[in-house]
């Protein structure tokens, strides 16, 4: 089935009902843990079938899969920012869609990851005694944490910022 669906989407990408082939390929690649290929097929569905009833679901899955690909604590900030942008765009366009809660949950996860990343960088700058680095990354971590409504991350960022205030005293 996979080879037949690939043939259809590669040779007739904008044909009616090809959106269903793209969707099924995205699902199959996801099941096989070939997430980059799944993202490609969902992106193709969005590109070639803008008016498809499947578009909101496919478009939601793209950033969710991007986040799944970033499973290590050393997140690629650019990929996180891309996923966040896609999630926020999706929320603006399809906020009443049935996947709204899932997408918003992924958005909050992304914001927490961005905050945690900045906290790690701010702690590094604390170890090497770089106040400007601490301030920049701790403030950014706090902003993302507040956007995610994560009091613990925000408190950690505030603690780092307080160390700067104490050092200035």
């Amino acid at each position: 089935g996979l080879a037949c669906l690939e043939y259809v989407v590669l040779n007739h990408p904008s044909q009616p009902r090809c959106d269903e082939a793209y969707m099924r390929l995205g699902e199959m690649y996801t099941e096989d843990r070939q997430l980059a290929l799944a993202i490609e097929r969902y992106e193709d569905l969005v590109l070639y079938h803008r008016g498809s009833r499947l578009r909101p679901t496919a478009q939601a899955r793209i950033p969710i899969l991007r986040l799944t690909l970033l499973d290590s604590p050393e997140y690629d900030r650019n990929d996180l920012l891309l996923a966040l942008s896609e999630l926020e765009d999706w929320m603006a366009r399809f906020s009443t869609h049935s996947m709204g809660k899932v997408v918003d949950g992924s958005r909050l996860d992304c914001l927490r990851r961005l905050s945690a990343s900045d906290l790690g960088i701010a702690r590094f700058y604390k170890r090497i005694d770089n106040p400007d680095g601490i301030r920049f990354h701790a403030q950014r971590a706090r902003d993302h944490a507040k956007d995610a409504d994560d009091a613990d991350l925000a408190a950690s960022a505030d603690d780092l910022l307080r160390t700067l205030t104490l050092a200035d005293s």
Side-chain angles (χ1 to χ4, degrees), residues 57-120:
T57 300
Q59 197 165 338
R61 289 180 181 172
I62 295 167
I64 292 169
L65 290 174
R66 279 191 214 291
L67 292 175
T68 303
L69 282 170
L70 296 172
D71 59 358
S72 101
E74 295 83 33
Y75 305 121
D76 182 333
R77 183 169 187 82
N78 290 331
D79 286 342
L80 283 172
L81 291 171
L82 175 59
L84 180 60
S85 173
E86 290 170 335
L87 291 162
E88 289 176 341
D89 177 63
W90 190 95
M91 292 295 294
R93 291 174 189 244
F94 307 110
S95 61
T96 60
H97 190 274
S98 63
M99 288 188 69
K101 287 183 180 180
V102 172
V103 171
D104 193 47
S106 293
R107 185 185 66 81
L108 295 174
D109 172 47
C110 191
L111 286 165
R112 285 185 199 101
R113 291 186 197 201
L114 285 164
S115 179
S117 174
D118 273 315
L119 277 174

Side-chain angles (χ1 to χ4, degrees), residues 128-168:
I128 65 168
D129 195 30
N130 181 327
D132 292 334
I134 298 168
R135 184 174 294 105
F136 177 80
H137 289 282
Q139 286 174 340
R140 199 163 67 175
R142 183 182 57 197
D143 291 344
H144 288 308
K146 286 183 176 182
D147 289 345
D149 200 27
D150 190 311
D152 292 336
L153 284 171
S156 294
D158 285 335
D159 289 344
L160 281 167
L161 291 168
R162 266 193 293 283
T163 65
L164 291 172
T165 306
L166 295 174
D168 291 340

